[in-house]
Every structure is written in structure tokens, then in C-alpha cells.
Amino acid sequence: MKPISFKRHRFPADVIRQAVWLYFRFTLSFRDVEELMAARGVDVSYETIRCWTIKFGPLIARRLKKRRWPPTPRWHLDEMVCNIGGKWMFLWRAVDDEGEVLDVLVQRRRDTDAALKLLRRLLHNQPVEPQTITTDGLASYGAALDQLDLRHLHRPGRLRENNRIENSHLPIRRRERQQQRFKSQASAQRFLTTHAAIYNTFNTQRHLISRTTLRLFRAEAASAWATATA
């Protein structure tokens, strides 16, 4: 990968990397990041930090995604409703059975066409073919899978069977509250796609592993971030 160019920026590259990492890694507002940077002696405005996240966030996310190992072939799909720019929209998400976020898609509808668009993106972008596709009871999933000749993979279940993705909605809800709702469909899509890639990199599920393994995972995540932002 070519190095990221930080030319024509007044602040050093390390400052920009730190600000972008803080914003996407933790549930912080731009003003929170501004205060954290000020505590480290860096006087930068929250509006400048916002510009950095828009310019460098998606680029870093794409580079992180290229470094990820393939997900498992057991997929979980679900949709959640969000108020975006004063309109009710649906956030369609897919994760594997280990919590890896596969894709995020903001759409205006909750119908077969919307489900079909998500499934086609998944089949096109993921390096593995699905073995099972678990969803809730929404009939649109079955209709979309019928059109793709994948109905034999469908596992429509109740909340318990799809608990993996139900739990994965929680970080998004926290960010939605922190940002006082998303402002537009485009900005929501950009943020959530970037957040997903960084979340995948640093999500260690530490309650399931030993402290020694946790240190190794954190070192791997830091190495991946350093490589992607170089």
C-alpha cells in the first residue's frame, strides 16, 4: 500500500492519526476529542478534527479492511430503524458468528429490494461463500434469497438464534446518542462504514480470553493500525 499523504496540513501526521483514532475508536464527540488533544498540548479545533475524519477515515478503513482475515461463512443479518435528518431510515447490517461486521447499508425502505441490495453487496464483496444466513422473521429476507437461489441457506429464527447481531447493534446505538442522531443518509453511511472497519480491528472480546492473549490481540490491532495509517 502506498503511504498516506499528509502534505499541506499544518499539524504533524501523528497528531492527525491520533485524533482520527480517538474519534472512531471511542464513543466521543468532536469536542471531546478536541479537549483530549488540548490536554496533550495540541491546540486544534473540533471542526478541523471533523475534516480529518471525513478525509482520512474512509481511506484508513479501506486499508484496514484489506488486512483483515476472511470472515466465517455463518452470517447473521438484521435491520434497525434510525432517525436520520428527521426521517426514519433503516440500517441494514450483517455480521458473522464471531461478531465481525461484514457490511453496513443505510436505506430508506425495509422491503425485498432493500434486503436484496444488502445480500448482493455481501456476495460480491466477501471472500467466502455463506454456509448459513440467519435472520429474524422479516419475510423480505426469504423473498430476496429466493431470487438469489439461496433459500436453502436461510435460517429464519427468533431473537435467541439471531442474538449475535442484536448485540452488535449496541455500539451503533451508543454512537447515535452521542452524536445526537445522524444528520444525513450520506454522512451516516460514511461514518458507519469507517466505524465498522476500525471496530473490527480493535474488538477483542476480552471477556472471553486470557490477559496474555488480550495483550497479543491488542498488539496485533496496534500493528494493523500503524500499517494502515503509515
Side-chain angles (χ1 to χ4, degrees), residues 7-19:
K7 292 181 179 179
R8 295 185 295 277
H9 287 274
R10 181 165 63 92
F11 290 89
D14 287 341
V15 171
I16 299 174
R17 293 189 192 101
Q18 181 71 8

Side-chain angles (χ1 to χ4, degrees), residues 167 171 193:
N167 288 335
T193 302

